Amino acid sequence: MNDFNVEVVTTAKTNLMGLDRVAMEAFFVAMGEKAFRATQVLKWIHHEGVTDFSLMTNLSKTLRSTLAETCEVSLPDVVSDELSQDGTRKWLLSVPGKSAIEMVFIPEDTRGTLCVSSQVGCTLNCSFCATGKQGYNRDLTTAEIIGQVWLAKQMLAEQYDTDDRIVSNVVMMGMGEPLMNFENVVTAMQMMQDDFCFGLSKRRVTLSTAGVVPKIDLLKEVCPVSLAVSLHAPNDELRNTLVPLNKKYPIKELLEACNRYVSDSARSRITFEYVMLNGINDELEHAQQLADLMKTVPAKVNLIPFNSFDGIDYVRSSNSRINRFRDVLHDNGVIVTVRRTRGDDIDAACGQLAGDVMDRTRRSEKIRQKRAETTP
Ligand code: SAH
């Protein structure tokens, strides 16, 4: 009752999509139910893909109707769904607040990787990234992050006509800086690993960060998944211009945090991502500097050919420049791979994700035009 003696009716239902096992157990105990209801409901939602409480047949009818009155299992809406010629699939998803995010699935021979977003937009404004150019809108909720994995699993099961594990790996490399939305991202990544949800091993969940140093230490304590670091430059002067966050957490501090992250796990390495920008960070001296840095931390380097987008001046390094850069690293004993560009016919490649609906519409037009031009 409030000051006016009017009963306040709240219509907001609890979204069970965002509850991990601990939260779900607390939820059922608080409503006077046994804690094991939590794992039953988690299995319905995440293993069986059931979101309708009336179908959860191992719960009593009374409980099912109470849940239907007080809870929901709500997911982002699918706005568009595109399939690249190379099998890469990209979805545009809308979330409350007139926002949209993108999610990408990349099939390979031995694995299937889902690239998930953590924020609507991003605050970091890296100079070569489409998401950064779009600005920042808000953090995604846990339900919106884990909901991406849930949706992909359902839609891929239809596409591939099997319930087998099509999503074998999840990378937090979509829109946003995951360590700037720490709690929601960690809860979602714990659900990815929970056997009652998606049951992925911690090796198969990767978080990519531009280098939020204190949060790297926290991550090691609470959820030590595989770590990728977006380095992109081998010295502070250059990195300050590409990744402005470097002014706050310079390379030395970042690499120290990386060393702490892997300090008690002898076999794991940090993946360092390095976008190849012609004439900017791809000179031989940069390769040598990078090789020297990489001797100070258990590392593998992933060279990413720059993916262009409207209104950006950078140019992708040529294959020969990428190869000679790779060779310097290799000759210095650094493990190095070149990322194959996937899905660029549907703007699904690294750094091209931008969920703005208006922008997306323009891109659809562009794709339609491109297809019309090339179709006889
Ligand atoms: N904020 C996180 C995760 C999102 S970006 C991070 O910075 O790691 C995922 C990867 O794509 C990062 O390594 C990012 O630097 C890279 N990337 C961004 N824009 C790119 C572009 N235009 N071409 C190629 N890679 C890009």
Side-chain angles (χ1 to χ4, degrees):
M1 301 293 245
N2 59 19
D3 288 351
F4 307 100
N5 255 358
V6 177
E7 200 171 335
V8 177
V9 180
T10 122
T11 51
K13 292 183 168 184
T14 306
N15 184 6
L16 299 189
M17 180 55 67
L19 301 194
D20 65 0
R21 205 195 309 184
V22 176
M24 191 79 91
E25 281 177 0
F27 176 81
F28 278 105
V29 170
M31 67 192 279
E33 285 286 334
K34 293 273 190 299
F36 72 84
R37 297 288 174 216
T39 47
Q40 289 180 316
V41 170
L42 284 172
K43 278 174 44 188
W44 278 116
I45 296 174
H46 298 289
H47 292 182
E48 307 300 329
V50 168
T51 56
D52 177 348
F53 297 112
S54 69
L55 302 177
M56 301 185 179
T57 45
N58 54 1
L59 309 179
S60 70
K61 283 211 167 125
T62 329
L63 179 55
R64 281 186 255 166
S65 62
T66 312
L67 290 177
E69 278 160 26
T70 57
C71 306
E72 60 186 359
V73 183
S74 127
L75 291 148
D77 286 324
V78 178
V79 178
S80 75
D81 179 349
E82 290 174 85
L83 190 59
S84 158
Q85 284 173 356
D86 69 15
T88 301
R89 189 167 169 189
K90 182 174 84 165
W91 298 268
L92 182 73
L93 308 173
S94 74
V95 290
K98 295 205 176 80
S99 295
I101 52 168
E102 292 189 324
M103 164 173 92
V104 178
F105 177 71
I106 306 134
E108 288 170 289
D109 291 344
T110 55
R111 62 182 176 187
T113 304
L114 186 69
C115 180
V116 165
S117 290
S118 58
Q119 297 180 311
V120 184
C122 188
T123 57
L124 298 185
N125 201 19
C126 297
S127 61
F128 50 85
C129 178
T131 307
K133 299 285 167 216
Q134 151 192 61
Y136 167 77
N137 185 333
R138 71 170 172 85
D139 288 349
L140 293 179
T141 63
T142 300
E144 289 162 347
I145 299 167
I146 200 68
Q148 294 172 63
V149 185
W150 190 97
L151 278 171
K153 185 180 163 189
Q154 304 304 319
M155 294 188 287
L156 292 165
E158 273 174 37
Q159 178 186 346
Y160 290 89
D161 197 20
T162 167
D163 283 334
D164 285 355
R165 179 165 290 178
I166 299 162
V167 176
S168 65
N169 294 61
V170 176
V171 293
M172 300 299 309
M173 288 189 191
M175 293 164 61
E177 167 51 52
L179 292 185
M180 297 289 236
N181 182 14
F182 191 83
E183 275 188 27
N184 294 344
V185 165
V186 163
T187 308
M189 293 195 307
Q190 277 159 346
M191 293 173 76
M192 291 169 202
Q193 295 170 70
D194 188 342
D195 284 339
F196 291 105
C197 300
F198 295 99
L200 298 178
S201 77
K202 66 176 183 202
R203 273 185 319 112
R204 293 182 177 276
V205 177
T206 300
L207 181 143
S208 178
T209 179
V212 190
V213 165
K215 294 290 164 62
I216 293 177
D217 288 313
L218 203 54
L219 186 69
K220 178 191 162 94
E221 271 171 44
V222 298
C223 191
V225 293
S226 299
L227 188 66
V229 169
S230 295
L231 194 61
H232 305 317
N235 62 65
D236 284 328
E237 196 188 351
L238 181 55
R239 193 164 192 264
N240 286 344
T241 67
L242 300 177
V243 182
L245 183 70
N246 193 69
K247 293 179 204 149
K248 196 161 180 193
Y249 304 115
I251 293 175
K252 185 164 175 291
E253 283 180 34
L254 177 55
L255 295 189
E256 282 167 4
C258 290
N259 265 315
R260 290 193 294 274
Y261 195 82
V262 290
S263 59
D264 46 18
S265 51
R267 285 185 324 157
S268 58
R269 295 176 184 282
I270 307 280
T271 300
F272 289 92
E273 296 155 286
Y274 195 101
V275 63
M276 298 299 291
L277 303 166
N278 189 51
I280 304 282
N281 65 353
D282 65 347
E283 306 293 348
L284 288 178
E285 57 171 308
H286 296 131
Q288 190 56 55
Q289 285 173 13
L290 181 60
D292 292 342
L293 285 181
M294 294 296 97
K295 285 174 190 157
T296 66
V297 55
K300 51 186 177 199
V301 172
N302 195 206
L303 301 177
I304 313 175
F306 169 67
N307 295 307
S308 198
F309 50 92
D310 280 353
I312 190 84
D313 290 334
Y314 292 121
V315 173
R316 176 186 294 186
S317 309
S318 64
N319 286 345
S320 64
R321 281 177 81 90
I322 294 176
N323 290 343
R324 70 171 197 166
F325 196 97
R326 178 198 60 199
D327 291 346
V328 172
L329 291 170
H330 187 259
D331 293 346
N332 277 271
V334 179
I335 303 170
V336 54
T337 50
V338 179
R339 189 174 293 177
R340 202 151 61 92
T341 298
R342 298 286 303 263
D344 56 353
D345 54 336
I346 55 168
D347 284 351
C350 300
Q352 293 185 317
L353 304 188
D356 180 318
V357 180
M358 304 274 289
D359 183 35
R360 179 65 197 69
T361 312
R362 272 194 275 124
R363 277 202 245 151
S364 308
E365 277 165 20
K366 236 174 48 187
I367 290 164
R368 269 197 296 277
Q369 262 170 19
K370 230 191 298 178
R371 287 202 181 127
E373 281 163 21
T374 50
T375 319

